Amino acid sequence: MSATPPLLEARGLVMRFGGVTAVGGVSMSIGEGELRCLIGPNGAGKSTFFKMLSGQLLPTAGEVLLRGRSIAGLHAASIARLGVGVKTQTPSVFDGLSVLESVRIATNAILPPNLARRRADEALERMQIGHLAKAVVGSLAHGQRQLVELSMVVSQAPDLILLDEPAAGMTGREVERLGDLIIDLVRTCSVIVVEHDMEFIRRIARTVTVFNRGVVLAEGPAAEVMSDARVRDVYLGKEAA
Ligand SMILES: Nc1ncnc2c1ncn2[C@@H]1O[C@H](COP(=O)(O)OP(=O)(O)O)[C@@H](O)[C@H]1O
Ligand SMILES: [Mg+2]
């Protein structure tokens, strides 16, 4: 094979928890600079899939290849160092720290002090929360905290960013801005984003992958996938109801 491998490839990923199959054999390929949306009802296996990509969970079966190199089974920190950043669904910011201190924790972990300082400042500017640098995280609105977490990921300059429900708790205006920020991000890296907000998906989506019951139900251009009868049945219909 002479073709360059994709940035990320999942092959037949399976995750079982006891008798529960959370992910039942998912294969997916993400290219350099690609923005992919992942949707699907609650419990479909989206977060579990992310955790296998980022090393938080060891797959029961299957492979994860980063530029052709197998990474499933590596520690989360090693995968992060190889260029995969993740913003989890559950908040991972410390209420007592300032916004800048929070981001500095992320950059200090991988960079020498001078560079760490600069990258942290740049990340806050890029996520448009430079004015909040000194604010205590615990005093921020939920949507702003999401941007702090996003800044922490961005500051490490990953090649692939996994975002699990980044728009949760955001106002309409904030969701719009987040969409623009993510579109800006894919100028320099690839992004996979799990989101429920359909306005957001329509706004940013190129290729959409739909999960249901641990498998891929549909994949394709946003408009096509959203008019797919099976997708409407399991997901969009439910949302409208
Ligand atoms: N640590 C765990 N132990 C047992 N079951 C789990 C665990 N994590 C997730 N699950 C189950 O796996 C399924 C998929 O969950 P999840 O990946 O969180 O779905 P989604 O993010 O799409 O809502 C659900 O049935 C959930 O209850
Ligand atoms: Mg989830």
Side-chain angles (χ1 to χ4, degrees), residues 17 20-22 40-49 51 89 164-165:
F17 299 106
V20 177
T21 300
N42 272 327
K46 306 178 299 294
S47 294
T48 302
F49 178 66
K51 287 174 186 165
Q89 191 173 355
D164 203 345
E165 305 199 13

Side-chain angles (χ1 to χ4, degrees), residues 22-230:
V23 174
V26 167
S27 297
M28 190 186 291
S29 180
I30 305 293
E32 306 272 357
E34 180 170 358
L35 171 53
R36 176 72 59 94
C37 289
L38 206 58
I39 66 172
N42 272 327
K46 306 178 299 294
S47 294
T48 302
F49 178 66
F50 268 10
K51 287 174 186 165
M52 290 190 283
L53 300 184
S54 62
Q56 292 160 278
L57 284 173
L58 178 67
T60 309
E63 270 200 289
V64 181
L65 304 173
L66 189 65
R67 294 199 176 94
R69 172 185 172 181
S70 173
I71 59 166
L74 294 185
H75 287 294
S78 307
I79 294 177
R81 246 174 259 120
L82 288 171
V84 178
V86 59
K87 195 205 86 59
T88 55
Q89 191 173 355
T90 43
S92 58
V93 280
F94 299 107
D95 281 352
L97 298 183
S98 76
V99 167
L100 182 57
E101 283 165 344
S102 304
V103 181
R104 285 290 300 279
I105 287 180
T107 55
N108 281 335
I110 59 161
L111 296 167
N114 274 343
L115 198 51
R117 202 169 301 132
R118 202 172 79 215
R119 285 273 185 75
D121 291 341
E122 286 169 0
L124 291 185
E125 288 309 316
R126 194 163 181 196
M127 294 301 108
Q128 300 175 8
I129 52 172
H131 60 290
L132 295 175
K134 293 195 173 123
V136 176
V137 169
S139 72
L140 300 178
H142 194 82
Q144 292 175 320
R145 294 162 66 105
Q146 294 274 37
L147 292 176
V148 176
E149 290 199 54
L150 190 54
S151 302
M152 291 170 75
V153 176
V154 167
S155 72
Q156 296 189 328
D159 300 318
L160 172 67
I161 298 183
L162 311 174
L163 300 175
D164 203 345
E165 305 199 13
M170 286 190 168
T171 65
R173 272 287 294 283
E174 286 174 330
V175 174
E176 254 177 51
R177 259 185 51 208
L178 177 69
D180 294 339
L181 290 173
I182 290 175
I183 287 167
D184 177 66
L185 277 181
V186 294
R187 291 187 303 123
T188 52
C189 66
S190 303
V191 177
I192 313 178
V193 56
V194 169
E195 232 343 296
H196 283 295
D197 189 311
M198 280 302 143
E199 268 315 303
F200 175 86
I201 297 290
R202 284 191 188 94
R203 196 179 161 79
I204 72 164
R206 325 243 158 119
T207 305
V208 176
T209 301
V210 186
F211 271 35
N212 188 43
R213 297 173 187 266
V215 297
V216 173
L217 175 72
E219 188 169 279
E224 204 174 281
V225 162
M226 286 180 191
S227 57
D228 184 312
R230 294 166 311 156

